[in-house]
Amino acid sequence: ARPSPNGTVAKGTTVEIAGAAWSDGPVTRVEVSTDGGRTWTDAEFTDPQSAWTWRRWRLRWQVPATAGDAVLMTRATDAK
């Protein structure tokens, strides 16, 4: 996943948050939080929906110019 755990990104830049989700049912949604779970944004899939496979996703994030530490979180939903 990007950015890497304990990684850093520059303030005021746009970065791509990316990863992969897996389930025994088709992954239908991935959400990303950049504020420790207070708000969530849908990620974009880069792979087609399919059962029993990893499904890659991404989200472009505008890092605030006044950013300090941020807690990035993801959650996935499957068809089951």
Side-chain angles (χ1 to χ4, degrees):
R2 291 187 312 263
S4 63
N6 300 314
T8 59
V9 295
K11 295 177 183 180
T13 62
T14 300
V15 297
E16 183 174 85
I17 301 170
W22 182 89
S23 177
D24 60 354
V27 175
T28 58
R29 185 178 190 185
V30 171
E31 298 167 277
V32 178
S33 175
T34 58
D35 57 13
R38 288 189 300 269
T39 62
W40 295 89
T41 303
D42 286 328
E44 169 189 14
F45 288 112
T46 60
D47 293 322
Q49 182 174 310
S50 178
W52 299 96
T53 60
W54 288 94
R55 192 162 187 204
R56 293 176 294 174
W57 54 266
R58 66 181 173 205
L59 176 78
R60 294 184 54 80
W61 175 43
Q62 178 64 45
V63 182
T66 59
D69 289 344
V71 176
L72 305 181
M73 302 169 69
T74 60
R75 62 185 180 193
T77 303
D78 68 17
K80 290 185 173 186

